[in-house]
């Protein structure tokens, strides 16, 4: 099969591949995306939550002041471009577990650092029929969820219409390298970008990268109540799509849902919410994580026609838009990559393995 050459072949169409594909299409680049869909890929099972204040101690997430304004603009533009709906801003409420925590947040709320993300601090019970919160809690703004299945579907339809989608397994044995380009099954390209999530662990060219699979499970529930807030403490509950998640099981590589995962989620959910629900489903997936929790972008140290956009870890929804732009500007114009995300930080692992 010989086809017109393209600028880029992207392998994988999860959040990484979808965001990167849009950035390249906006710049009028010729692309082909090769993706063999997997129902359990991280992007398809994710609840799609985005939240600038995260973690057990609730701190502003890395680069929040850049990521959150950018993601809003990006997903709205993507909705307009694909003619679909998937971006859902929504407040997030996190109950306090003690008076001490409440006091600590009263102090923090005065800081300009947090002000733009805080809608309100509730000092006593709020929405008692929905959430257990005897000490009140934090109502955060600039949060919400991306309906990841709809987003991926919308980008896929756009690619299909443009004749830029190959729905098949990408077979590295079919690669042919030339001096400054690479050919895959007769399609020439200046670069191939691997956006293959945790599957990159099985790549002949990139298995040396320290991407680890971190298993997560989610539940889907149904409920007769109407809720307009995401609740989050121990677990999150996203209304509309009614997803509850997620577990973090780093040593479990079994490709299946577990009773332990379900029990953990149900126990935490019962501590958090006060409304009735019924479990209707359970899913699992592997997040592509890195040792330093930063994305992984850059070129193969030897085969410079091969590039990687990966390492989105637990926060693909907020990281993928911003870093797909940084990565595209770097590929196209040589603009600087964010050092913390540059895969050069791990390239010595390649030379050790070669
Ligand atoms: C249970 C769970 C809940 C999560 N919840 C959230 C959340 O609420 N918010 C958030 O921001 N993040 C969340 N995440 C993390 C988020 O899902 C990931 O950061 C993100 O989806 C990673 O996207 P990706 O495109 O790199 O990888 P993937 O989603 O794994 O996509 C890779 C794609 O490449 C394809 N592929 C791989 N190899 C090949 C090949 N050889 N040939 C063809 N196709 C190939 C795969 O089929 C897949 O379609 C969650 C993850 C899990 C598992």
């Amino acid at each position: 099969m010989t086809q017109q050459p393209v600028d880029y072949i992207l392998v994988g169409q999860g959040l990484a591949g979808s965001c990167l594909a849009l950035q390249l299409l906006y710049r009028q680049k010729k692309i082909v995306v090769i993706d063999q869909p997997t129902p359990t890929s991280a992007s398809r099972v994710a609840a799609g939550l985005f939240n600038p204040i995260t973690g057990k101690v609730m701190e502003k997430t890395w680069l929040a002041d850049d990521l959150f304004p950018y993601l809003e603009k990006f997903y709205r533009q993507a909705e307009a471009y694909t003619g679909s709906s998937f971006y859902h801003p929504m407040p997030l409420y996190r109950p306090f577990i003690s008076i001490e925590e409440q006091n600590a947040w009263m102090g923090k709320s005065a800081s300009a650092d947090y002000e733009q993300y805080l809608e309100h601090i509730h000092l006593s019970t709020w929405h008692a029929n929905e959430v257990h919160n005897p000490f009140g809690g934090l109502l955060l703004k600039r949060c919400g969820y991306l309906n990841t299945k709809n987003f991926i579907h919308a980008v896929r339809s756009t690619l299909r219409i443009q004749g830029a989608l190959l729905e098949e397994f990408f077979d590295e044995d079919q690669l042919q390298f030339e001096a400054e380009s690479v050919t895959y099954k007769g399609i020439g390209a200046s670069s191939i970008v691997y956006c293959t999530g945790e599957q990159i662990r099985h790549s002949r060219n990139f298995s040396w990268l320290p991407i680890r699979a971190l298993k997560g499970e989610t539940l889907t529930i149904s409920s007769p109540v109407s809720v307009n807030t995401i609740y989050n403490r121990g677990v999150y509950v996203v209304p509309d799509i009614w997803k509850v998640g997620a577990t973090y099981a780093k040593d479990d590589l079994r490709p299946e849902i577990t009773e332990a995962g379900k029990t953990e989620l149900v126990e935490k959910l019962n501590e958090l919410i006060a409304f009735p629900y019924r479990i209707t489903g359970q899913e699992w997936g592997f997040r592509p994580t890195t040792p330093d929790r930063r994305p992984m972008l850059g070129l193969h140290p030897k085969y410079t026609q091969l590039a990687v956009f990966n390492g989105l870890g637990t926060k693909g929804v907020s990281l993928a838009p911003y870093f797909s732009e940084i990565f595209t500007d770097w590929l196209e114009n040589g603009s600087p990559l964010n050092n913390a995300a540059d895969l050069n930080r791990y390239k010595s692992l390649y030379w050790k393995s070669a």
Side-chain angles (χ1 to χ4, degrees):
M1 174 175 64
T2 307
Q3 296 192 0
Q4 291 287 316
V6 294
D7 297 306
Y8 298 97
I9 295 173
L10 310 188
V11 187
Q13 198 233 322
L15 288 173
S18 298
C19 292
L20 188 58
L22 289 177
Q23 300 279 11
L24 291 166
L25 290 176
Y26 296 158
R27 288 164 174 78
Q28 316 297 329
K29 293 291 138 190
K30 285 204 70 166
I31 62 170
V32 166
V33 178
I34 304 173
D35 182 77
Q36 176 162 273
T38 318
T40 56
S41 76
S43 304
R44 287 178 178 83
V45 303
L49 192 69
F50 52 91
N51 169 15
I53 312 282
T54 59
K56 273 208 174 94
V57 290
M58 293 290 278
E59 274 174 339
K60 199 158 84 165
T61 187
W62 180 59
L63 290 182
D65 297 346
D66 296 317
L67 300 182
F68 284 78
Y70 189 82
L71 76 82
E72 189 175 327
K73 191 178 81 174
F74 177 87
Y75 288 122
R76 287 199 192 286
Q77 184 185 5
E79 285 189 327
Y81 184 75
T82 60
S84 307
S85 164
F86 35 75
Y87 174 66
H88 303 281
M90 191 178 275
L92 182 147
Y93 187 70
R94 170 146 164 144
F96 293 130
I97 39 164
S98 62
I99 289 291
E100 289 72 32
E101 193 182 34
Q102 188 194 85
N103 286 338
W105 269 98
M106 289 304 285
K108 264 190 190 178
S109 64
S111 126
D113 234 19
Y114 286 93
E115 207 185 356
Q116 59 170 313
Y117 303 113
L118 280 181
E119 184 70 46
H120 192 69
I121 299 190
H122 289 274
L123 299 177
S124 56
T125 304
W126 182 71
H127 281 189
N129 55 337
E130 293 183 7
V131 60
H132 299 302
N133 64 133
F135 305 104
L138 279 182
L139 190 63
L140 298 172
K141 55 187 173 185
R142 309 198 89 154
C143 304
Y145 75 96
L146 178 79
N147 187 320
T148 57
K149 284 195 179 90
N150 286 359
F151 172 61
I152 288 169
H153 178 74
V155 176
R156 204 171 187 84
S157 303
T158 303
L159 292 169
R160 195 176 284 124
I161 290 166
Q162 302 198 9
L165 179 68
L166 278 184
E167 301 194 74
E168 63 179 47
F169 182 77
F170 172 73
D171 174 8
E172 289 175 308
D173 287 341
Q174 306 289 329
L175 286 175
Q176 289 177 318
F177 292 92
E178 283 109 54
E180 302 222 324
S181 62
V182 57
T183 300
Y184 179 75
K185 292 191 178 174
I187 310 171
S190 51
S191 291
I192 297 192
V193 188
Y194 285 60
C195 310
T196 49
E198 57 81 29
Q199 286 292 314
I200 203 157
R201 296 177 299 129
H202 310 299
S203 159
R204 181 202 297 165
N205 293 310
F206 284 109
S207 57
W208 53 274
L209 283 176
I211 301 270
R212 312 244 157 76
L214 174 56
K215 185 172 173 183
E217 295 183 52
T218 58
L219 297 177
T220 310
I221 58 172
S222 66
S223 177
V225 298
S226 165
V227 173
N228 303 315
T229 309
I230 296 166
Y231 291 115
N232 177 208
R233 176 115 223 170
V235 284
Y236 51 75
V237 191
V238 181
D240 302 348
I241 53 171
W242 285 120
K243 279 250 189 183
V244 177
T247 61
Y248 295 84
K250 70 174 166 16
D251 297 321
D252 181 4
L253 289 179
R254 288 170 297 168
E256 60 195 23
I257 53 171
T258 64
E259 220 23 64
K262 181 174 171 182
T263 304
E264 179 187 329
L265 292 171
V266 167
E267 281 175 7
K268 290 180 174 170
L269 182 62
N270 291 341
E271 275 175 35
L272 179 66
I273 60 163
F275 54 82
Y277 69 89
R278 194 168 62 81
I279 298 172
T280 56
Q282 185 176 355
E283 289 179 289
W284 68 274
F286 289 132
R287 307 168 180 95
T289 63
T290 58
D292 56 8
R293 299 181 184 185
R294 299 292 177 252
M296 190 86 82
L297 327 177
L299 295 185
H300 191 283
K302 183 172 173 193
Y303 303 106
T304 52
Q305 303 95 323
L306 304 183
V308 164
F309 182 35
N310 206 314
L312 298 179
T314 59
K315 298 187 175 137
V317 172
S318 48
L319 292 170
Y322 177 80
F323 277 101
S324 60
E325 178 171 67
I326 299 253
F327 190 55
T328 306
D329 287 344
W330 175 77
L331 285 169
E332 281 291 298
N333 312 321
S335 309
L337 269 185
N338 180 308
N339 282 342
D342 190 334
L343 80 65
N344 266 338
R345 69 196 189 280
Y346 291 117
K347 76 174 177 204
S348 62
L349 296 178
Y350 172 72
W351 297 114
K352 275 187 206 148
S353 73

